Amino acid sequence: MHLLRVDASLEKRWDDFVEQRTSTVSDLFGWRHVVHSTYGIQSHFFAVEDNDTLIGALALFEIKHPLFGHYLTTAPFSTDGGLHYESDIVRDLLVKEAKRVADELQVDYLL
């Protein structure tokens, strides 16, 4: 089991994994393109893979807002999404990575 930083080469695998676990478009890889091209929002996508199978996914979007500050969220412009996992161990690995990225980016908070 290992953590991957997700880029466009994993787009189809990402969508195949999250489509089974969500009812919103905000979890799909294409949402990353929409929020970046429309609002300039940077994203940080991570997945956990085991034996060439994705078993976890985490989408983080980096928001810089004049009122709410600098933060990471899993669901910009949505109320659901961003973290999908097959086990507590996978969840914990993804949350640990989210905290590491938050520290690295020196955000005010992580949603």
Side-chain angles (χ1 to χ4, degrees):
M1 178 170 61
H2 60 279
L3 185 73
L4 304 169
R5 186 166 199 112
V6 176
D7 60 20
S9 69
L10 294 174
E11 181 172 354
K12 181 174 177 2
R13 291 181 63 205
W14 174 278
D15 283 349
D16 288 347
F17 179 76
V18 301
E19 278 180 334
Q20 300 170 33
R21 293 158 180 81
T22 188
S23 60
T24 69
V25 298
S26 61
D27 283 343
L28 300 177
F29 198 88
W31 192 245
R32 179 183 201 169
H33 302 302
V34 170
V35 298
H36 185 263
S37 64
T38 306
Y39 301 103
I41 294 172
Q42 297 298 315
S43 60
H44 310 273
F45 279 34
F46 302 94
V48 177
E49 181 181 59
D50 190 32
N51 295 323
D52 296 324
T53 301
L54 293 188
I55 57 173
L58 171 63
L60 294 173
F61 295 87
E62 185 177 355
I63 309 294
K64 295 178 181 176
H65 193 279
L67 295 176
F68 303 119
H70 182 201
Y71 63 96
L72 290 173
T73 183
T74 59
F77 314 111
S78 179
T79 58
D80 179 38
L83 178 61
H84 304 280
Y85 51 90
E86 296 291 315
S87 71
D88 291 348
I89 293 169
V90 173
R91 178 204 60 210
D92 293 348
L93 181 61
L94 290 167
V95 169
K96 183 179 178 180
E97 183 64 10
K99 290 177 181 179
R100 187 198 66 74
V101 171
D103 288 343
E104 180 181 293
L105 297 173
Q106 299 179 331
V107 298
D108 299 317
Y109 51 98
L110 172 63
L111 295 173

